[in-house]
Amino acid sequence: MSDWHDELEFALLPLEDAKIDSDCMTSVISNALREHGIFHQCRIGCAEDRLSRMVTAPHCWIELEQGWCIDIRLRQWLGDEDDLPHGGFQPSNYPRVRYQGSAWLIPHLGAGDLRAMTNDAYDKVKLPWLAGRARAA
């Protein structure tokens, strides 16, 4: 993992305990990334565990440049196992899971809505240093 991807994953840790599903989590993370000018694409579709044949749908995640993804809700549905992706990752490093989906436009949400959705955890997400690193990577 690159340094800035490690830092991004660490910055998103406060959100892990938020009691929200992948659609709301994707909205929250997308808004944080957008605020700091980090290019990304939200996706909606499904994720399949090729080993167990379990599918979670609908499921939402974020794709970043250079093939990176963010998903901190998949293990909630498929199990907390090391060979299932979590946080920031390259999908090719997790062949057990197959993502399929299409682009999803996320509306801009105000800070009050984001705090309410995350029980104030949104205020603990600090990304300002990431924007320059993301563009340089």
Side-chain angles (χ1 to χ4, degrees):
M1 186 178 267
S2 72
D3 287 341
W4 87 266
H5 292 102
D6 282 337
E7 293 174 24
L8 173 60
E9 187 169 344
F10 184 74
L12 297 175
L13 280 176
L15 298 175
E16 286 196 5
D17 292 332
K19 304 292 187 224
I20 55 177
D21 285 331
S22 68
D23 57 338
C24 290
M25 185 63 75
T26 297
S27 295
V28 168
I29 294 170
S30 177
N31 274 268
L33 296 173
R34 184 183 304 133
E35 283 177 20
H36 298 295
I38 299 171
F39 179 79
H40 65 285
Q41 174 66 66
C42 298
R43 309 289 286 176
I44 185 167
C46 66
E48 176 189 6
D49 180 342
R50 292 176 173 162
L51 182 63
S52 71
R53 297 290 184 220
M54 286 182 57
V55 175
T56 179
H59 188 72
C60 304
W61 66 98
I62 293 176
E63 293 180 355
L64 301 168
E65 293 181 309
Q66 301 174 341
W68 289 89
C69 290
I70 300 172
D71 188 346
I72 58 176
R73 283 298 176 249
L74 185 65
R75 289 184 181 181
Q76 173 181 337
W77 301 110
L78 299 183
D80 192 15
E81 299 178 36
D82 290 340
D83 57 347
L84 295 173
H86 182 79
F89 60 93
Q90 286 275 357
S92 59
N93 293 337
Y94 294 91
R96 178 175 165 180
V97 175
R98 181 173 57 111
Y99 284 90
Q100 285 185 297
S102 55
W104 182 36
L105 295 176
I106 300 290
H108 173 76
L109 299 172
D113 291 330
L114 294 164
R115 283 192 298 272
M117 289 170 68
T118 62
N119 200 25
D120 293 325
Y122 187 77
D123 286 340
K124 297 175 184 156
V125 175
K126 306 296 181 201
L127 301 177
W129 43 266
L130 276 176
R133 289 186 179 198
R135 285 189 282 276

